[in-house]
Amino acid sequence: MKQTDPRHNRAPLPVSRREMLQICGGGFGMLGLTGLLADQARAATNANPLAVRSPQFPARAKRVIFLFMSGGPSHVDTFDPKPRLTAESGKPLPFAKPSLERTKTGNLLGTPFKFNRHGQSGIEVSELFPHVGDCVDDICIIRSMVADNINHNGACLQMNTGEQAFSRPSLGSWLTYGLGTENQNLPGFVVISPAQPAQGAPLWSSSFLPAAFQGTLVNDLKNPIANLHNPELDLSAQRDQLDVLKQLNQIHAEQRQQDSQLNGRIAAFELAFRMQTQASEAFDVESESDATKRLYGLDEKPTETFGRQCLMARRLVERGVRFVQVYHTQTVKRASCQLWDQHGGLRTELPANCAATDLPIAGLIKDLKGRGLLEDTLVVWGGEFGRTPTAENADGREHHPFGFTMWMAGGGVKGGQAYGATDEFGWHSTVNPVHVHDLHATILHLMGIDHTKLTFLYGGRNYRLTDVYGSIVKDLIA
Amino acid sequence: MPIVMRMALGAMALTALLGLLAAAAPPSGRNPAPHSRLVASTSPGGPQSDERYDTLFETRVRPLLVERCGACHGAQQARGGLRLDSADVLARGGGRGPAIVPGQPDKSLLVQAIRYDGALKMPPNGRLTPAEVAAVADWVRRGAHWPAMQARATASGPAGIAMAPATASTPLFWSFQPVKPQAPPHTKASAWVKSPVDAFILAALEAKGLTPAAKADRRTLIRRATFDLTGLPPTPEEVDAFLADRSPNAWAKVVDRLLASPRYGERWGRHWLDVARYADSADSRGLGGEGDISEAWRYRDWVIDAFNRDMPYNQFVTNQIAGDLLPPDDKMSGTIATSLLAIGNWGNGDADKDKILTDIADDQVDIVSRGFMGITIGCARCHDHKFDPITTKDYYGLAGIFFSTHILPKLTPKGAGETPLRVPLETAADRQRRADYTARLALLDKQVTTDRAEALKSYARSMLPETAKYLTAAWEVGRLPRGQGTTLAQFAAARGLRPYALRQWRDYLSNNDYRLMASTFEKPMGVEGVYGYHGPADLPSLTVNTNAEAKTILTFTLPPRSVCVHPGPVSGAAVGWRSPFTGAVEITGGVVDADPACGNGIEWMLDRRGRNGPESLALGAFENGGSQEFAKGKGGGSLSRIEIREGDSIEILVLPKGEYSCDTTLVNLTIREVGGTRTWSLAQDVLADARRVNPHADRYGNADTWRFYDMADSKRAAGAAALDPLLAAWRAAVGPLDARPDSPAGARTAVDRAAAEFQAKFALDDSRSPFWITRPEDEDVLPATVRERLSHEAAELDALRKSAPPPVIYANGAQEGGVPESPHAGFHDVRIHIRGSYARLGDLVPRRFPVVLAGDIQPPITQGSGRLELAKWIASDTHPLTARVMVNRIWQHHFGQGIVRTPSNFGKLGERPTNQPLLDYLATEFVHSGWSIKHMHRAIMLSATYQQSSVAPAKSLLVDPDNRLFGHMSRMRLEAEALRDNLLAVSGKLDVTMGGPAYRDFKTPRRTLYYMTVRSDRSGFGPLFDAADPTATMDHRTNSNVAPQALFLMNDPFAIAETKLIAQRLTAAAPDDPARIAAAYRLLYGRIPLPAEAKLGLAFLQRMRARPQEKTVAMGKEASGTLAWEAYTQILMCANEFLYVD
């Protein structure tokens, strides 16, 4: 069959997302893995590891966008107002110095920023996040997060894999392992980060899970997926190649017994051929309307990069990608793996980071909502830890895993609430602490997975994302 | 005494649990699922399985009761009459009644107390976390099942559960039992049996009513064997030779030839490197440096060499655990072998140093136990192993050995990364030779330096009478109107002066004590559009990023379209602007720390340098991550109008404040002509023509306007700008003349007089003198005899340098004793870390081996760490696991699956052997052969079993679909390395250079196992094709089949380049398409094409030639035979036959 080059004959966007998914996912059966025997599961994994698998129970969320502010965003300057901290700024920490400290703990440092009430819920959000503040009724702020590691590396690993030191599969890998992905023409787990994020690949590694569940890193926003174009052969010539390839493979197979691996490889080439046109389309942020681009701040220099990342994330989840992680690693001024690491520059760098992300994040939430996607898309915001309410130097804060803030929106989350609390100074998580493991358990739960039952046998033991920990935080769920 | 109690409980529970599990495990049928995804859920609220139930108790409840309650409510002390150390005493309760009501947490006193919601609040010294409370409540709600109690009850005999008594007579789990020598069993179809291996295989098949597969044909066999042993395809000539060899031992000859090939060690070494979690770099960017495992490649080469030499496996084992402790003649390689312990993956750079030490020991316990013994001891770090008879005592007995070993030279300060130990590898004699050489070199070097200095000094002294002449000439040169074309050299020639001396006098007069950065560089680390300058050392430097986006090089990031300076650790860098006019300027701009992650902030100074040397206009300093405008600095208020004379300079000095490593400072400097139209911007001028050498022109055509300086050795930074008094006097004398450039003759006399006065007092003859020759090329002014002597000495020194002994090589190995100066320094036992936490220590455990394997009575380890004893024990002929585990790994790589299908787990959660007699036979044979791996290859490959076809008899597919009985050969996909090597081999480009540091350029045509593996980088070719993830030990590669792999073969530049080479080879090999197709099949698949295949090929070539090729036409290439053949070759390369070996 003759196929035209889509560059000359661009197909109009399918009418609905559902329809498009059907088109894209065609030819791949839905597999509920729960009922399969292990060996069949393994065979299926080899044949098409990303085939859709039904969740264990009805899911509130079908996909996740995790906005990762690496470096550790300060909670007391953004989402966790602490009037007493401000009142006692400059005084010593009113309780015993922590036993584990990176540098000498300084005196209390009140936030230089104002907090304003937003929305019907009236939740206070820092002036640094005016647009996100406008969305607060859709957001569930968790002010009582707890993590275990005081360094970026360990903490980033824990936030992404549950483990601080050793190689473990990441959250996105577990999700794609458990659920597959809805669009077979795209990777199931995409990481968008224009500069190298802290720690690199271990944060999206599949570790001992099959490699197909590893995150695909997009760092070049203009050329997101490798090897999508042949420099010399056009699509019709490649089509001819694939037809001959298929026939040769059939001759090869006829002399042998049925082998799912051999058949799987034929399918993989067909899929690759389709990806050549469709993956480019999925990442093509430029095809969005001007209004949408403005919504994400693509028209303004400070917000352009992160806006592009967020818009790309929306395009991907819209097309059925299971898990998209968006790392904030580049501003107009600089690229860094730890943009939010304000040991200094609290009064300059932090506002710059917020300015670069505020509008795009709000744009993402509004856009998802407007498209009806927010109800089953879980948006998660946060970093690997927060920052000390005490000062480091004159204008900075240290790392702080003992009490910090993250938030979630959409995907079955109860918006318009601030859950849990730190003490009056923002140091310890005192009311309803939510550990990283609990957050993971809750995310899995929202995706229709019991975190204690998504396991993989490795090295003599059934591993889970939450190891032997984790409780679902029911109060976060609508 | 909570710890003692916990151990006692643990042991009881464990024995019972083991019994239960052993009884529950089927004798040989279905084994535990190797992968279980979403485990089928039980109905909500229904009873939980015992295992799940006990897991909750063992991992969450029991440790809590022991740690938080045990001290007051245990066997030693029972406050309030309550004990919480067994279910019956718990149920009985204390003075307040039963502590728990099973199934009803809300009514249970224990739960109420720990919830802190009644009068009774326990524990009194601090409440449990919500999660801990929930765990206890959950356990009570589910019935408060206490595994130890049930086990006791079970042992006393309820019907229905076959329970082995927990006594010494309990049969050990199969893998912990000694290897039993096996005689080959009797078989019916004995004609098929070629070797003992076959008897075991055939007996197992016959027991199921199966027959082996047919014998594979010779083409298939040689292709299989060649990939199997070397990871490369056979050449067409090798195939032909084997087909032609009709001798009875033709096959054995092929096997021996392949085993003798150096390619064999590369192939099988790589298999071991999977287990060894080998990486070339741990650094996230693969850049090496101090904190990295930069010597890891020596271990990789050691492994390859060990396989090629057929090092007995027991030595292979002992070397990797304790090679540094083996007799001296082996010491060199032995220490390299211990890199196995040093290249692990643990959280480097954690502020929590105790955690790092426990993580390192844990990594080592894990690699040694899983890698060599196929058991998972790691679980016992936190609790007694749930499934295998390994206790926390066993774990910390082993861990003590590794805590008494170090792979770090020391612990770094908090927050800093650890530097792995680099063990120098040299003998005492080497060391002595090196010391002698160093001494001789130093002596000669000193002599050469002294002689040269003496010669230069003497020359400088001889020039002193010329002082006045040079001084006045230099003064005049400085006053020459710019742009009139007289060069300094011409001026010198006209006066009969030495140009070098005149130049130096001119510089001396302007007191220019900074060095121009004379070296230029571009594309540092391959980054396009970046240019730079530096002085004699790499740093300080000045870097220009002409790209519109930020660029990261090594650790620093250059903002888009910027000029950045990078001072050295102690010395500054400066940018100077030399004024082409006299008037006033406005200075704006500032400096920005472009890399807040590094350094300690900076200091800056803005100077005006006139004829009287530099004077400060403004200065400032700021912390790391900050920035400052010049106007905001001290004195910055005056910058809107600065008077300047032609030839004067404005200089911005960027100085390290404290330590300045890996930092980048963005410099913005704009100078505007007050009352004029001209503006000079550093970034604009330099970016416009970044390649220009230093000094740099401006955009008005003035050469020499921008100058970049290296401030090493400058006194300015120290604030010592004080002028030489002699020069000051000279300036005072000639100064007023400057105001009148058209000075009358009288003034000239004044100059001469001042010069004469200067000369009378000027007596410098050291390196400060402008007569001192600083550049080798200026030495031609020295007398010929002196030059000859100096050059002779220099040659002698040069020769000595060239005869230097080879540099010391280092290994990232292990050494005896805990990390020096750490709490673990020296040799000692360690305490149990309760729940794996170093902050909660339990009993001290003597260093020893796991009891289940080594018995209760072990000789104590009294000297050293115990590593040597451990190594010898693991490598002993009678160890039940070591030989079994390795023969299984060998079998696995020949057949795709092991006899035990979980090669690094021979424990209860691993699979049982599908043919234990065969496994034990092979293990026995292995030990008897002197642990020869090559012997095992022969024993396996010469069998009929190995030579079976991959096409299975129909019945086998039904009865044994997974081929657990090895009744046919399993088809295998080429691994990442073999796939790429195969491409390189058939394209004829493969470079078989062995060893050395890893290469970084993927295009390098060497074998793939030498390609850089960066632990934190999971992008690229290797991970795409399921190469081993180097973050953890790997016993089995996954085999994914995903579209990006296809995209790689279809479109990646490497794949396309290889395709072209193969196509060229084929088109050159034969004159026409049919012959070329035949050649292609011969080269790529080792066979003749079928007529149908040839027909498909011919038709495709025809279609391709007829096809209008838009892309290639656009590229100016003819869409001729070349492209058609390339496209066809690519099909063959993508086909299953290229990637799968039958």
Side-chain angles (χ1 to χ4, degrees), chain B residues 105-426:
Chain B
D106 295 344
K107 293 192 178 157
S108 298
L109 200 53
L110 172 70
V111 178
Q112 289 165 7
I114 62 172
R115 278 178 179 159
Y116 263 54
D117 53 16
L120 187 63
K121 292 183 169 63
M122 288 287 160
N125 56 349
R127 64 194 289 185
L128 304 180
T129 68
E132 289 170 334
V133 173
V136 176
D138 199 24
W139 171 67
V140 172
R141 189 172 57 74
R142 289 160 199 259
H145 173 250
W146 192 295
M149 293 307 297
Q150 187 188 347
R152 218 176 291 147
T154 311
S156 65
I161 302 173
M163 174 70 202
T167 65
S169 65
T170 306
L172 278 168
F173 189 64
W174 75 269
S175 62
F176 301 137
Q177 293 176 28
V179 173
K180 289 182 265 309
Q182 305 281 331
H186 175 75
T187 54
K188 281 180 260 173
S190 54
W192 183 75
V193 174
K194 281 191 183 161
S195 78
V197 166
D198 298 332
F200 290 102
I201 291 290
L202 187 58
L205 289 172
E206 285 179 346
K208 299 264 178 193
L210 301 175
T211 51
K215 191 177 176 186
D217 63 57
R218 282 198 164 203
R219 288 182 191 276
T220 304
L221 280 180
I222 189 169
R223 190 168 173 81
R224 176 186 298 170
T226 312
F227 272 115
D228 209 353
L229 288 182
T230 68
L232 292 167
T235 63
E237 295 72 28
E238 285 164 355
V239 175
D240 291 347
F242 179 51
L243 294 180
D245 188 350
R246 288 288 138 197
S247 61
N249 62 343
W251 173 241
K253 278 191 279 181
V254 167
V255 171
D256 282 341
R257 172 174 63 77
L258 294 169
L259 285 174
S261 161
R263 308 287 83 77
Y264 158 78
E266 293 173 326
R267 168 71 166 170
W268 281 75
R270 184 57 250 184
H271 291 324
W272 180 256
L273 295 175
D274 282 14
V275 175
R277 77 234 178 294
Y278 175 79
D280 294 298
S281 170
D283 183 272
S284 62
R285 287 150 296 197
L287 295 170
E290 278 217 323
D292 216 334
I293 46 172
S294 52
E295 308 295 330
W297 60 271
R298 295 188 196 279
Y299 168 71
R300 176 247 282 143
D301 289 353
W302 179 88
V303 169
I304 293 169
D305 184 55
F307 274 95
N308 274 336
R309 284 194 291 141
D310 198 18
M311 174 186 281
Y313 182 69
N314 53 356
Q315 284 180 32
F316 185 73
V317 173
T318 45
N319 269 284
Q320 290 179 73
I321 299 173
D324 55 319
L325 305 174
L326 292 173
D329 53 327
D330 252 351
K331 185 159 177 107
M332 194 92 139
S333 60
T335 300
I336 294 176
T338 62
S339 300
L340 177 79
L341 303 174
I343 60 172
N345 184 29
W346 33 269
N348 194 346
D350 203 302
D352 191 344
K353 300 297 173 181
D354 292 316
K355 182 170 184 305
I356 287 183
L357 293 180
T358 52
D359 285 350
I360 290 175
D362 189 55
D363 170 73
Q364 294 165 337
V365 169
D366 186 62
I367 191 67
V368 166
S369 55
R370 274 208 269 177
F372 296 119
M373 297 188 281
I375 47 171
T376 56
I377 290 180
C379 301
R381 181 182 184 180
C382 305
H383 55 78
D384 290 350
H385 201 295
K386 285 191 337 222
F387 303 104
D388 290 321
I390 305 290
T391 63
T392 47
K393 269 192 169 172
D394 289 326
Y395 178 92
Y396 287 97
L398 271 182
I401 294 172
F402 294 107
F403 275 113
S404 299
T405 296
H406 66 286
I407 60 164
L408 300 177
K410 60 173 195 280
L411 281 179
T412 54
K414 270 183 185 175
E418 310 308 322
T419 304
L421 191 63
R422 283 160 49 87
V423 188
L425 302 172
E426 56 178 0

Side-chain angles (χ1 to χ4, degrees), chain B residues 12 81 95 224 392 446 450 500 559-560 603 850 953 1036 1110 1140:
Chain B
M12 276 192 294
R224 176 186 298 170
T392 47
K446 193 175 170 205
T450 317
Y500 95 90
E603 288 178 3
H1036 205 139
E1110 192 186 316
Y1140 288 87

Side-chain angles (χ1 to χ4, degrees), chain A residues 15-31:
Chain A
V15 188
S16 75
R17 193 179 138 266
R18 184 63 48 203
E19 266 182 39
M20 191 181 67
L21 287 180
Q22 282 164 357
I23 295 165
C24 300
F28 291 88
M30 301 265 284
L31 290 170

Side-chain angles (χ1 to χ4, degrees), chain B residues 923-977:
Chain B
T924 310
E925 185 69 15
F926 191 32
V927 174
H928 283 173
S929 73
W931 298 85
S932 164
I933 295 172
K934 287 192 177 179
H935 174 80
M936 299 315 292
H937 291 308
R938 288 190 192 95
I940 291 170
M941 295 177 76
L942 298 182
S943 70
T945 306
Y946 181 81
Q947 295 174 57
Q948 293 174 99
S949 160
S950 64
V951 177
K955 193 177 174 195
S956 292
L957 287 182
L958 288 173
V959 177
D960 180 25
D962 296 331
N963 200 18
R964 288 166 188 269
L965 303 178
F966 303 101
H968 61 96
M969 179 50 77
S970 293
R971 183 170 303 116
M972 293 212 256
R973 193 186 82 177
L974 298 184
E975 300 93 333
E977 293 87 351

Side-chain angles (χ1 to χ4, degrees), chain A residues 188-207:
Chain A
F189 170 15
V190 178
V191 178
I192 307 174
S193 182
Q196 158 109 7
Q199 273 289 73
L203 302 189
W204 55 88
S205 166
S206 55
S207 189

Side-chain angles (χ1 to χ4, degrees), chain A residues 90-164:
Chain A
K91 291 186 184 162
L93 192 67
F95 34 81
K97 295 262 158 106
S99 58
L100 185 61
E101 50 181 13
R102 285 183 86 247
T103 55
K104 202 167 163 296
T105 299
N107 288 340
L108 296 173
L109 175 66
T111 180
F113 308 107
K114 280 207 295 288
F115 276 74
N116 302 313
R117 293 194 182 279
H118 289 270
Q120 295 204 324
S121 55
I123 293 172
E124 285 182 275
V125 173
S126 161
E127 61 181 339
L128 297 177
F129 276 120
H131 296 97
V132 173
D134 285 347
C135 301
V136 80
D137 289 339
D138 288 317
I139 291 178
C140 169
I141 298 178
I142 309 166
R143 287 178 173 157
S144 53
M145 284 300 303
V146 183
D148 297 320
N149 201 294
I150 199 163
N151 286 302
H152 296 292
N153 288 5
C156 280
L157 270 181
Q158 189 180 42
M159 190 55 76
N160 282 284
T161 71
E163 158 64 42
Q164 305 170 56

